[in-house]
Amino acid sequence: MDLDWQLVGDSFWPILLGGLSGTIPLSLASFAIGLAIALVMALMRLSRNPAVSFIARAYISVIRGTPLLVQLFVIFYGLPSIGVTLDPWPSAVIAFSMNVGGYAAEVIRAAILSVAKGQWEAGYTIGMSRTTTLRRVILPQAARVSVPPLSNTFISLVKDTSLASLITFTELFRRAQEIAAFSQEFMLVYIEAALVYWVFCLVLSAGQTRLERRLDRYVAH
């Protein structure tokens, strides 16, 4: 079957712009908020207070044990039944942020635990409080350890944002759906959308590798 190069050319920019104006901003906003949630949940998991630790464990269990699509639908389609109606953008940001928070919390917790206990003792020795030691000594070291898994989480998030098309949020895949429905060239347009996602992920993977190498300079071997 001959490719419709005219369609490929005409659809490329709308799909790409859908990614740049929808997918990437949604991913960045959700990831930033999700990291804040993850940090709080990780610290709560490490808390010596059983009640606080239980709340964090319950949150992480629910998020990791339910599909992202279900979480998205509960927020966008479910909340209106109790009088809370949200537009597609905030619904998507909330759903993706909560999901990232649940998964990244365990990454951050593991990174904190990977820092040698001697680092805590060193902070206490020079008069730092537990909070100051955590902020100035432990978290910077944990951040370097968590870069690879958190980068993978972000790359996965970029692809997962395609689910936002199901709540009518206009992003990369939503643009592809509109073009495919109009042209009836579903295979061609969807493959083109997949290639754009792939390019995004290649760029992000290259950025991840460069960041890891940059951080590696400050680690003693």
Side-chain angles (χ1 to χ4, degrees), residues 51-172:
V52 172
S53 181
F54 173 78
I55 292 172
R57 288 199 309 270
Y59 173 83
I60 293 169
S61 178
V62 170
I63 292 298
R64 293 165 68 96
T66 56
L68 174 55
L69 181 60
V70 173
Q71 298 165 17
L72 185 62
F73 274 32
V74 166
I75 293 172
F76 186 71
Y77 294 111
L79 289 182
S81 65
I82 59 173
V84 180
T85 302
L86 299 174
D87 291 333
W89 165 260
S91 296
V93 170
I94 292 172
F96 293 132
S97 298
M98 292 177 62
N99 190 267
V100 168
Y103 280 91
E106 290 297 88
V107 172
I108 294 175
R109 183 177 72 91
I112 291 174
L113 292 175
S114 72
V115 179
K117 291 183 179 180
Q119 297 295 310
W120 288 97
E121 297 169 357
Y124 299 151
T125 300
I126 61 175
M128 290 185 180
S129 65
R130 179 177 175 82
T131 301
T132 303
T133 302
L134 175 67
R135 179 171 57 86
R136 301 186 63 180
V137 178
I138 305 301
L139 287 181
Q141 296 181 65
R144 287 195 291 268
V145 175
S146 63
V147 163
L150 288 180
S151 297
N152 291 332
T153 298
F154 181 68
I155 292 172
S156 295
L157 174 63
V158 170
K159 295 179 289 185
D160 288 341
T161 55
S162 61
L163 295 175
S165 64
L166 298 176
I167 61 170
T168 70
F169 177 71
T170 302
E171 40 69 66
L172 192 158

Side-chain angles (χ1 to χ4, degrees), residues 188-205:
L188 178 61
V189 175
Y190 288 158
I191 288 178
E192 188 174 13
L195 291 175
V196 175
Y197 276 115
W198 182 44
V199 170
F200 281 175
C201 291
L202 286 177
V203 172
L204 292 173
S205 295

Side-chain angles (χ1 to χ4, degrees), residues 6-27:
Q6 181 66 37
L7 175 61
V8 171
D10 291 343
S11 61
F12 175 76
W13 287 111
I15 291 175
L16 179 62
L17 290 176
L20 296 176
S21 63
T23 298
I24 298 302
L26 176 59
S27 300

Side-chain angles (χ1 to χ4, degrees), residues 7 11 15 172-193:
L7 175 61
S11 61
I15 291 175
L172 192 158
F173 191 63
R174 180 71 176 180
R175 288 293 188 195
Q177 286 180 313
E178 294 170 350
I179 295 170
F182 179 78
S183 65
Q184 295 298 299
E185 292 285 354
F186 295 97
M187 177 68 77
L188 178 61
V189 175
Y190 288 158
I191 288 178
E192 188 174 13

